[in-house]
Amino acid sequence: MSKLDICKVSLGINSYKIFIGKDIHRSITNYISNYKTYSSTIVISDKNIYEKNSLLFKKYLKKEIEFELIILPQGEKIKSFKYLEFIIEKILKLEIDRDTLLICIGGGVLGDLVGLASSLVLRGLDFIQIPSTLLAQVDSSVGGKTGINSKYGKNLVGSFKQPKSVIISTDILKTLKKRDIKSGYAEILKYSFINDKKFFNWLVSNGKKVISLNTESCIYAIKKSCTIKSKIVSKDEKEKGMRELLNFGHTFGHVIESVTGYKDKIKHGEAIFIGMYLAIKFSILLKICKKDVLEKYSCHLKNLKINHKLSSYNIKISPERFLQHMKFDKKVKNSKIKLILIKDIGVPVRLFVEDEKLLSNFLKNELK
Ligand code: GLY
């Protein structure tokens, strides 16, 4: 068996482990506790993952478990009421019972949908996450947020439903495009900024290796990211306080995604790179952060050939529209926008924007 790293999400009876290794998706029952007690197993994936990982579906899984397979189309469109109904009906048709296990093999979009379905079917089935993108491995597969989009916005319908375990293989990332790997790297960089300066310094020296999927560096970065997220989620599962820190760069970033319609024009991580850049710059404007933090951030991304300016993506958003969208964010309270800002690398701060004019002028300057 290849080397195995483990981190734990501590949530009382809902605690679970995240297993990280090079190719551990080839022997998943080692990482599902009491697998034999489940009455049946349903594996859910999407067309793209299924086609790109035929060995996994046709050899490794078959060798180990008996399962029914549900394949969904790829893309954000499946995070909808239509596909939630579709997947639930498909599951129910398989004559399941409360001891049926769902295994989700896919990226964040699929994980969010399957997680939500697993919390609803028969009032809750156990589920396992096998994330297939770097973004899902370091973020969405961990922490139990599930959801679909509504016409009123992204992720507005969902639940907290923790998986029974998360099985992360770095080999599964090999079929990804470089652009998607870089997009996942945004969340890794985020963890360093909100929690760990030493980790940032490590990324400065090793970021290129992570992006080129060097196994050892990748496993280190994934484990570090999952450990930071697990610590935060263990203290604040339902996002009543410190879990908000995980949204560093996201309040600005979500505006960009929302305006562009969550299309391929900009990936989630790319929007977060821009969002973190704006959050650092705004922190400097508020005089809570030193200028060299921005220099370090920009220099690191330049080294990795990652753009962090909106203009590089050919996207134009008026400052008025940008601010308007920021006001739709879930963290707005009493019509005040709450931002996750930064005092220094590793030292985040949650702040309500008291002077909206200041933010509006900042956006005018940044978006011209
Ligand atoms: N992706 C942010 C969170 O899980 O809270």
Side-chain angles (χ1 to χ4, degrees), residues 139 145 229 239 243 246-247:
D139 186 22
K145 277 190 184 174
K229 181 157 187 182
E239 199 168 300
R243 186 164 181 170
L246 296 174
N247 294 321

Side-chain angles (χ1 to χ4, degrees), residues 76-338:
E76 186 77 22
K77 68 171 187 272
I78 65 166
K79 280 183 65 163
S80 60
F81 283 107
K82 179 178 150 197
Y83 279 98
L84 181 65
E85 182 181 6
F86 175 83
I87 193 174
I88 287 177
E89 300 289 7
K90 282 260 185 203
I91 294 169
L92 291 172
K93 201 171 160 199
L94 294 171
E95 292 175 21
I96 51 147
D97 61 37
R98 283 198 162 141
D99 294 320
T100 294
L101 177 69
L102 303 184
I103 298 179
C104 172
I105 307 178
V109 166
L110 190 77
D112 284 2
L113 175 74
V114 175
L116 181 55
S118 83
S119 73
L120 296 171
V121 175
L122 306 188
R123 297 208 174 88
L125 296 178
D126 285 356
F127 90 113
I128 303 289
Q129 289 268 29
I130 305 184
S132 62
T133 62
L134 184 59
L135 196 86
Q137 293 189 342
V138 297
D139 186 22
S140 57
S141 66
V142 174
K145 277 190 184 174
T146 81
I148 55 168
N149 306 328
S150 114
K151 65 179 177 198
Y152 295 101
K154 202 170 145 77
N155 292 330
L156 292 185
V157 178
S159 63
F160 287 98
K161 164 83 177 171
Q162 301 296 338
K164 284 287 158 191
S165 60
V166 181
I167 302 168
I168 297 178
S169 271
T170 52
D171 268 5
I172 220 170
L173 302 174
K174 285 188 176 150
T175 60
L176 295 182
K177 295 196 183 96
K178 195 76 161 188
R179 191 176 169 204
D180 289 309
I181 296 167
K182 285 185 175 175
S183 174
Y185 188 81
E187 298 289 351
I188 295 177
L189 187 58
K190 174 194 81 179
Y191 291 115
S192 74
F193 263 77
I194 61 165
N195 193 268
D196 193 335
K197 194 170 187 166
K198 258 169 61 190
F199 182 35
F200 173 75
N201 292 334
W202 183 89
L203 288 173
V204 168
S205 311
N206 297 280
K208 273 193 187 150
K209 285 200 235 160
V210 176
I211 283 174
S212 55
L213 299 183
N214 166 280
T215 302
E216 204 185 314
S217 311
C218 237
I219 288 179
Y220 181 84
I222 293 169
K223 186 176 180 198
K224 200 84 192 151
S225 302
C226 288
T227 306
I228 294 171
K229 181 157 187 182
S230 306
K231 257 192 337 203
I232 293 175
V233 169
S234 298
K235 288 194 183 124
D236 178 25
E237 182 188 9
K238 302 280 165 70
E239 199 168 300
K240 302 281 184 220
M242 77 179 297
R243 186 164 181 170
E244 286 180 342
L245 297 177
L246 296 174
N247 294 321
F248 174 56
H250 285 60
T251 308
F252 290 108
H254 280 162
V255 174
I256 302 165
E257 288 185 278
S258 152
V259 169
T260 48
Y262 302 97
K263 298 270 158 51
D264 224 34
K265 196 168 170 79
I266 193 147
K267 301 257 171 201
H268 175 69
E270 292 167 341
I272 301 313
F273 283 124
I274 301 168
M276 292 193 283
Y277 170 75
L278 291 174
I280 299 168
K281 240 184 151 178
F282 193 58
S283 308
I284 294 170
L285 183 75
L286 292 184
K287 296 192 170 54
I288 56 173
C289 175
K290 283 202 264 140
K291 278 192 184 142
D292 71 325
V293 171
L294 190 66
E295 277 154 31
K296 284 182 184 154
Y297 180 77
S298 299
C299 179
H300 179 50
L301 291 190
K302 198 168 164 219
N303 256 329
L304 298 177
K305 298 193 173 60
I306 291 172
N307 291 322
H308 59 274
K309 298 230 174 111
L310 200 54
S311 50
S312 327
Y313 293 90
N314 247 330
I315 296 169
K316 202 111 189 88
I317 308 172
S318 75
E320 296 75 26
R321 192 166 180 214
F322 206 105
L323 190 63
Q324 202 53 39
H325 272 270
M326 284 181 93
K327 288 184 175 169
F328 280 128
D329 193 82
K330 288 196 277 294
K331 289 179 302 308
V332 169
K333 224 176 186 173
N334 300 328
S335 63
K336 277 193 188 155
I337 298 168
K338 195 194 261 183

